[in-house]
Amino acid sequence: MDLQTAIQERFSYRGKYLNTPVPHKDLRLLLEAGLAAPSGCNKQTTSLIALEDSLLVKQVAALMEKPNFASAPAAICVLTQRIIAYRDRTYYVQDYAAAIENILLTATAMGYASCWVEGHITDADRIGRRMADMLGVPQDRELVAYLPIGVPAEKPVNVQKKPFDERAWFNGYGKTEEN
Ligand SMILES: Cc1cc2nc3c(=O)[nH]c(=O)nc-3n(C[C@H](O)[C@H](O)[C@H](O)COP(=O)(O)O)c2cc1C
């Protein structure tokens, strides 16, 4: 699948997954895609843990209480460190967002579905920290996103995106291709 097709076909999948295992080499490729992302001042604040042991995936995913996500045979946990890039600036959010998008696009190109699960695990109940503790993550790293990885069992549900002309222009704010 070429890059433009992967970009257009990526979507957040919240349905059930097939049991089809995700080979180790595929998970390794997804991790490499994440680590290849740019990072502010090259601080490389993002680190990743792939979950491929089926019992461990179930135990960690169970903390989310979302059975569909827990049905994925594999997952990638995204960790960050709030390292200062320069002066008081830290780009850790941008860094892990870039890494996640690389992973999601690569997963799409490989025929896997996923979902960027961040809001659910970074809420007041701190599911992400509980996941991190289960995985031996030190206190100076936060587990900010959980990406289930697997072959989808159900059809994609594409969300509606706003029309192009409402969000993207040429040569000035609000300038569409026609004007
Ligand atoms: C920062 C961020 C946090 C998100 N957190 C969650 C989440 O906790 N649970 C979830 O189901 N989807 C989550 N999503 C996925 C968004 O809901 C999804 O990207 C959006 O609805 C657009 O749909 P699409 O990904 O299919 O284009 C998150 C996405 C981003 C960028």
Side-chain angles (χ1 to χ4, degrees), residues 10-12 14 69 115-120 159 161:
R10 181 214 59 81
F11 69 102
S12 295
R14 299 183 182 87
F69 289 146
C115 184
W116 180 328
V117 185
E118 176 173 346
H120 185 61
V159 296
K161 302 281 177 181

Side-chain angles (χ1 to χ4, degrees), residues 96-107:
Y96 75 71
I100 290 173
E101 185 67 354
N102 270 12
I103 294 170
L104 295 179
L105 293 177
T106 305

Side-chain angles (χ1 to χ4, degrees), residues 65 89 145:
E65 297 179 8
R89 307 294 302 276

Side-chain angles (χ1 to χ4, degrees), residues 34-78:
L35 298 183
S39 65
C41 296
N42 195 30
K43 290 295 179 190
Q44 302 176 53
T45 56
T46 310
S47 45
L48 305 164
I49 301 176
L51 306 181
E52 58 183 347
D53 175 288
S54 53
L55 186 63
L56 183 64
V57 180
K58 295 275 168 278
Q59 283 172 341
V60 174
L63 294 172
M64 290 184 291
E65 297 179 8
K66 299 270 186 192
N68 284 353
F69 289 146
S71 71
I76 293 175
C77 296
V78 180

